[in-house]
Amino acid sequence: MRNHYYAPGHITVATNHPPTEQKTMSKVTFPVDTGIFKNRTTLKDSYTPDTLVGRDEELEEYRNALLPVVNNEEPDNTFLYGKTGSGKTACTDYIGDLLKDACERSGVNLQFLQINCKGPNTSYQVITRLINTMREANNQISTSGYDEETLYQTFFNEIEERGGTTLLVLDEIDSIDTEALNKLFYRVSRARSNYLDEAKVGTICISGELTLRDRLDTDVRSTLCEKSIEFEPYTAPELQDILHQRTDVAFCEGALDVGVIERAAALAAQDGGDARKALDLLREAGDFARQEERDEVKIQDVERAEQEVRSDRIMQHIRNLSRHERYCIYALTTLHAEGEERPRSQEVYQRYKKMVPQDEEYSARTVRDYLQEFAELDITERKCNTGGSQGNYNTHQLRFDEEPILRALEETIAECGVHRSVGHHDFLRKKKDL
Ligand code: ADP
Ligand code: MG
């Protein structure tokens, strides 16, 4: 289990360490949860709820776009767009099931070919994946070795052989690069005239990138987006409705304290109106309560879950900083470790110089720019002190615990050595000293 000690409501706090103690493991037990989760899996992404909350207008537009299919007519190509967690995939699964039922009842031959484009991102890979989705497991084609024209021909031949209507549902198409997208849709948009006689084909494209259409060639764009449906981010009250619906199946009665749902909805609304994030927060909050063998999830658990998500995101960011920016964070962390909660820019610069090989060090000005950037990224809190007897200066306080930051800096520490102020961390023991 990760060790974050977050005070509810605000971000912590690099503490001074307790002296290193000999850790002995007490007896491990696995108590069975009787009070928190009724069905934890229903809070995961893989679960599709029976009904959707608050998307009536979008579902109606979606249904209207697909009405030609049940009437055995050429479908309109439909384009769905909206930020992550706005219900695009959930609505597609829901509508897809209803459409398949309706077609079955009215004797329409429908093939609903759905793939996620996140993995395969060249047009070649997408087509191969589509072909293999249509085929039996023992008849798959290999993912290389064909020329592209043969592949497209194979693909449309199979669609023609099956007859009826094929809907190509391409989720997360924004993971495909622009050139590949144009190539793919150029062929698909000409399928009706170039490759197919009887069979009908239509596309449902789903994009999390709102401006993806602008990246497409004009004629591809107009064929692909015959109908567009926008999914707005959810508001806090809408997220509350979604969470209420889900908690009925996911949690035991009375497991959530008053205000838990509202808090999770508010935090997810602030972070882009993302239903997935709201559900993740509840699941993780439930996990905290269960791990601590409590029978109620508290608002503080939701806030702690939010801090973990935020912390994970920031640590990822730190890993991706440039080499000298990471030296600079390391310098700041060691000052904190010595009990200097708010070192000045000048102090950070002096410490940074100790860490960098001499012929490589950057100027004080560059380090000041870095420090400003860290505050903008919410890694630190920067305060300006003006007008005192010591003139104007800035101080910098880390917003996160020392340990996760040091873990994110492992590569930097391996390069320049372990500073004595952080040498007590077990995971740094084997590395060389500074
Ligand atoms: P997107 O595809 O836009 O990124 P999803 O459709 O995957 O978002 O939704 C994210 C999560 O939120 C899923 O677990 C989904 O079941 C749930 N969800 C989204 N919208 C609704 C809704 N209107 N009602 C109930 N659950 C929803
Ligand atoms: Mg999705």
Side-chain angles (χ1 to χ4, degrees):
M1 191 172 66
R2 281 173 296 184
N3 244 347
H4 294 243
Y5 298 104
Y6 290 117
H10 49 88
I11 311 167
T12 145
V13 193
T15 48
N16 288 332
H17 322 278
T20 319
E21 51 195 65
Q22 198 62 41
K23 284 180 202 128
T24 47
M25 197 72 173
S26 56
K27 199 169 154 232
V28 176
T29 56
F30 289 96
V32 173
D33 169 15
T34 51
I36 299 289
F37 291 113
K38 190 157 67 185
N39 187 350
R40 182 175 178 275
T41 317
T42 60
L43 293 166
K44 291 200 162 180
D45 228 23
S46 49
Y47 174 81
T48 313
D50 295 338
T51 54
L52 296 170
V53 192
R55 279 296 186 219
D56 294 350
E57 269 175 42
E58 291 77 3
L59 287 172
E60 193 181 334
E61 278 185 66
Y62 211 162
R63 177 199 84 123
N64 292 346
L66 298 176
L67 266 182
V69 178
V70 239
N71 292 293
N72 235 335
E73 296 155 0
E74 188 107 283
D76 286 340
N77 292 327
T78 308
F79 185 79
L80 266 55
Y81 63 104
K83 283 192 182 168
T84 179
S86 58
K88 303 178 298 295
T89 304
C91 286
T92 301
D93 292 343
Y94 180 76
I95 277 281
D97 287 345
L98 293 179
L99 180 69
K100 285 178 234 168
D101 286 349
C103 285
E104 213 173 303
R105 279 199 306 275
S106 49
V108 171
N109 172 7
L110 168 70
Q111 187 181 205
F112 199 80
L113 263 192
Q114 190 168 3
I115 65 162
N116 188 306
C117 302
K118 206 151 204 173
N121 47 23
T122 64
S123 86
Y124 187 98
Q125 287 166 324
V126 173
I127 286 297
T128 318
R129 181 90 160 262
L130 283 168
I131 295 174
N132 284 335
T133 309
M134 279 194 280
R135 290 187 170 193
E136 302 290 331
N138 59 5
N139 189 25
Q140 303 274 296
I141 61 165
S142 88
T143 49
S144 60
Y146 296 93
D147 72 85
E148 239 173 296
E149 183 51 39
T150 313
L151 265 188
Y152 279 98
Q153 198 64 59
T154 310
F155 178 56
F156 289 115
N157 282 348
E158 300 210 2
I159 289 179
E160 183 67 20
E161 267 169 39
R162 279 168 190 256
T165 302
T166 298
L167 274 179
L168 308 177
V169 185
L170 306 177
D171 203 346
E172 306 204 30
I173 56 161
D174 42 321
S175 11
I176 307 177
D177 71 56
T178 309
E179 200 190 321
L181 266 180
N182 281 318
K183 206 152 83 178
L184 175 72
F185 290 116
Y186 180 79
R187 305 281 184 130
V188 174
S189 64
R190 269 153 194 69
R192 293 169 185 172
S193 46
N194 288 5
Y195 296 97
L196 303 174
D197 291 325
E198 294 295 321
K200 300 184 244 328
V201 66
T203 55
I204 296 177
C205 293
I206 306 174
S207 168
E209 184 193 319
L210 307 185
T211 53
L212 177 104
R213 276 179 305 181
D214 306 339
R215 287 207 265 132
L216 301 173
D217 293 344
T218 332
D219 49 343
V220 169
R221 190 188 318 154
S222 58
T223 358
L224 204 69
C225 311
E226 288 171 328
K227 290 268 161 60
S228 294
I229 308 174
E230 180 179 1
F231 284 67
E232 299 259 4
Y234 288 113
T235 60
E238 286 169 337
L239 290 169
Q240 283 180 28
D241 290 344
I242 292 173
L243 293 182
H244 272 295
Q245 180 211 38
R246 201 64 70 91
T247 51
D248 288 347
V249 284
F251 285 96
C252 298
E253 212 179 316
L256 302 184
D257 197 5
V258 178
V260 162
I261 287 184
E262 288 72 12
R263 191 75 191 119
L267 288 169
Q270 279 165 24
D271 195 12
D274 179 346
R276 183 178 296 109
K277 163 99 189 250
L279 291 164
D280 286 350
L281 287 180
L282 270 196
R283 194 185 67 241
E284 206 159 319
D287 283 345
F288 289 142
R290 177 155 85 175
Q291 284 154 17
E292 288 161 17
E293 296 180 46
R294 284 182 274 124
D295 55 10
E296 198 174 46
V297 183
K298 304 272 185 203
I299 292 180
Q300 284 87 333
D301 294 315
V302 177
E303 283 166 348
R304 193 170 144 205
E306 157 74 5
Q307 293 297 354
E308 288 231 334
V309 172
R310 190 128 61 107
S311 172
D312 287 350
R313 217 186 268 168
I314 293 280
M315 295 317 135
Q316 193 51 43
H317 219 109
I318 291 179
R319 280 189 197 95
N320 293 335
L321 291 173
S322 72
R323 195 164 144 250
H324 284 262
E325 284 168 322
R326 282 183 277 121
Y327 281 135
C328 192
I329 298 264
Y330 186 29
L332 188 55
T333 313
T334 59
L335 287 165
H336 270 254
E338 288 172 349
E340 279 245 40
E341 287 216 344
R342 300 190 152 274
R344 299 179 184 199
S345 310
Q346 183 57 22
E347 287 174 87
V348 181
Y349 180 58
Q350 293 307 330
R351 178 62 56 87
Y352 156 86
K353 286 206 294 187
K354 290 211 172 85
M355 313 216 144
V356 204
Q358 221 175 17
D359 52 342
E360 285 188 39
E361 67 191 39
Y362 286 177
S363 68
R365 192 198 167 93
T366 307
V367 167
R368 273 205 305 276
D369 288 346
Y370 288 163
L371 288 168
Q372 178 168 344
E373 186 192 317
F374 300 155
E376 282 160 14
L377 290 170
D378 263 351
I379 299 172
T380 57
E381 184 186 55
R382 190 170 72 124
K383 280 205 174 137
C384 301
N385 291 275
T386 49
S389 57
Q390 300 178 37
N392 299 345
Y393 59 89
N394 292 319
T395 62
H396 310 272
Q397 182 174 23
L398 283 173
R399 283 174 165 272
F400 295 87
D401 279 351
E402 194 180 301
E403 182 174 332
I405 297 183
L406 290 170
R407 285 190 186 275
L409 290 173
E410 268 196 273
E411 204 182 299
T412 308
I413 299 173
E415 215 179 290
C416 63
V418 180
H419 188 266
R420 61 187 150 63
S421 63
V422 295
H424 57 279
H425 286 279
D426 280 348
F427 68 98
L428 295 176
R429 285 253 159 87
K430 292 210 180 82
K431 298 199 190 323
K432 69 174 187 308
D433 289 336
L434 184 72

